[in-house]
C-alpha cells in the first residue's frame, strides 16, 4: 500500500463547476496535510495546509480532513482554466522531517 | 528575492558522466531536501539535511552524494550517470520542528543520453 494515494486522473471539469480532488494516507500518525499545485514545467507551490479535522476555506479552495478515515480532499469552487494543473497531496507525521507526496492528480478545466 | 534557487535549470549529459546540482535558500530555514520527480510526476524524497547534518537517506544509490557546506546550501553530486537518472530534481527547504510546508526550487531537468 502506498503511503499517500491520489486518483491520478486526468480529471476533467467544466469551467465554473466544482473540482473535487481526493487523497488517502496510510500512516495514522500523520498530523500535517498539504495541497500543492504544480503547473507543467514548474515547481510545486503550496495552496492549502490543514491540521485539524473538518473544513478549511481559503477563497475558492476548501480543504477537508477526516483523520478517522485517513482522508483529505481539496475542493475548488468556480473552477477556472487557470486551475488546470497537477495537484499534489503531501502528508507529514508529527515530529518527522519527511514530507511524503502522493502521485498527483492532473486536473483540466474545460472552458 | 527570498527563494530557493537551483542551478542549472537544465542539464543534458552522457551516460557515465559525473554532474552536480547546486541549491541555495535565503529563507533562513534549517532543513533542506532533495526530491526526484519522475515522468509520472511522482515526487520522491531522496535526502534531507538539518543544519548540515544528514537526517534522511531514502535508499538512494550511493552514486548520489549530497553535500551541505552550511545550512543555506545543499548540493547534489551524481557519479556515473545512468539513463534512469533522467528526471526533474527539486530542492526544497522548511523550518525544522514546525508543521510548516516545504518551499521548492524551480527544479533541474536532468536528461541522460
Amino acid at each position: 500500500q502506498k503511503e499517500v494515494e491520489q486518483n491520478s486522473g486526468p480529471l476533467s471539469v467544466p469551467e465554473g463547476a466544482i473540482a473535487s480532488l481526493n487523497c488517502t494516507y496510510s500512516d495514522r500518525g500523520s498530523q500535517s496535510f498539504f495541497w500543492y499545485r504544480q503547473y507543467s514545467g514548474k515547481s510545486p507551490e503550496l495552496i492549502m495546509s490543514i491540521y485539524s479535522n473538518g473544513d478549511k476555506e481559503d477563497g475558492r479552495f476548501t480543504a477537508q480532513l477526516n483523520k478517522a478515515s485517513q482522508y483529505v480532499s481539496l475542493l475548488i469552487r468556480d473552477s477556472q482554466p487557470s486551475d488546470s494543473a497537477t495537484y499534489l497531496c503531501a502528508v507529514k507525521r508529527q515530529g518527522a522531517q519527511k514530507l511524503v507526496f502522493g502521485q498527483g492528480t492532473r486536473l483540466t478545466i474545460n472552458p | 528575492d527570498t527563494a530557493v534557487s537551483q542551478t542549472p535549470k537544465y542539464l543534458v549529459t552522457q551516460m557515465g558522466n559525473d554532474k552536480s546540482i547546486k541549491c541555495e535558500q535565503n529563507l533562513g530555514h534549517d532543513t533542506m531536501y532533495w526530491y526526484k520527480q519522475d515522468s509520472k510526476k511522482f515526487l520522491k524524497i531522496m535526502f534531507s539535511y538539518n543544519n548540515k547534518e544528514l537526517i534522511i537517506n531514502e535508499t538512494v544509490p550511493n552514486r548520489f552524494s549530497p553535500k551541505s557546506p552550511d545550512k543555506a546550501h545543499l548540493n547534489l553530486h551524481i557519479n556515473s550517470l545512468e539513463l534512469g537518472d533522467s528526471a526533474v530534481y527539486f530542492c526544497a527547504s522548511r523550518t525544522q520542528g514546525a508543521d510548516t510546508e516545504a518551499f521548492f526550487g524551480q527544479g533541474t531537468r536532468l536528461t541522460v543520453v
Side-chain angles (χ1 to χ4, degrees):
Chain A
Q1 182 186 8
K2 291 180 182 175
E3 290 184 77
V4 181
E5 289 205 62
Q6 298 179 245
N7 293 331
S8 57
L11 177 64
S12 190
V13 172
E15 184 176 356
I18 296 175
S20 178
L21 303 161
N22 303 319
C23 174
T24 58
Y25 59 95
S26 60
D27 183 358
R28 284 199 171 273
S30 300
Q31 294 289 330
S32 306
F33 306 86
F34 307 95
W35 282 100
Y36 283 81
R37 177 177 62 202
Q38 187 176 23
Y39 292 116
S40 181
K42 301 294 184 183
S43 60
E45 55 177 340
L46 182 78
I47 49 173
M48 290 285 284
S49 59
I50 187 166
Y51 307 100
S52 305
N53 279 330
D55 294 0
K56 178 181 177 182
E57 189 175 317
D58 184 1
R60 296 186 296 111
F61 299 94
T62 299
Q64 299 174 318
L65 175 61
N66 184 328
K67 289 184 181 178
S69 301
Q70 295 174 251
Y71 175 93
V72 57
S73 64
L74 180 71
L75 301 177
I76 307 174
R77 289 183 301 282
D78 188 22
S79 298
Q80 303 296 311
S82 59
D83 294 327
S84 298
T86 296
Y87 288 80
L88 300 163
C89 172
V91 171
K92 192 178 85 66
R93 187 182 179 87
Q94 188 176 20
Q97 296 301 327
K98 189 165 69 170
L99 204 59
V100 181
F101 283 83
Q103 71 271 38
T105 298
R106 187 175 166 193
L107 174 67
T108 300
I109 307 300
N110 301 308
Chain B
D1 285 346
T2 54
V4 181
S5 57
Q6 299 177 225
T7 54
K9 189 172 181 181
Y10 300 98
L11 189 51
V12 180
T13 187
Q14 291 187 325
M15 277 197 314
N17 283 350
D18 303 338
K19 291 293 178 185
S20 291
I21 307 171
K22 295 187 175 181
C23 179
E24 175 182 6
Q25 56 91 8
N26 60 5
L27 298 166
H29 294 163
D30 42 26
T31 301
M32 296 184 71
Y33 305 87
W34 279 110
Y35 280 86
K36 178 181 180 181
Q37 188 170 48
D38 60 26
S39 57
K40 295 184 179 179
K41 293 289 193 180
F42 183 54
L43 259 176
K44 184 171 171 58
I45 191 167
M46 300 174 68
F47 300 103
S48 176
Y49 270 73
N50 178 258
N51 282 323
K52 303 193 296 176
E53 181 183 346
L54 178 67
I55 54 173
I56 296 174
N57 181 339
E58 288 284 310
T59 60
V60 177
N62 58 16
R63 297 183 295 105
F64 291 79
S65 52
K67 281 190 172 52
S68 181
D70 56 60
K71 74 174 190 175
H73 295 83
L74 179 60
N75 304 324
L76 183 65
H77 187 75
I78 316 170
N79 290 327
S80 304
L81 278 154
E82 300 177 358
L83 293 176
D85 297 332
S86 296
V88 181
Y89 292 84
F90 284 100
C91 177
S93 71
R94 59 183 291 274
T95 300
Q96 185 204 11
D99 284 327
T100 53
E101 72 274 21
F103 292 82
F104 284 82
Q106 74 272 37
T108 296
R109 181 174 293 278
L110 172 65
T111 304
V112 182
V113 297

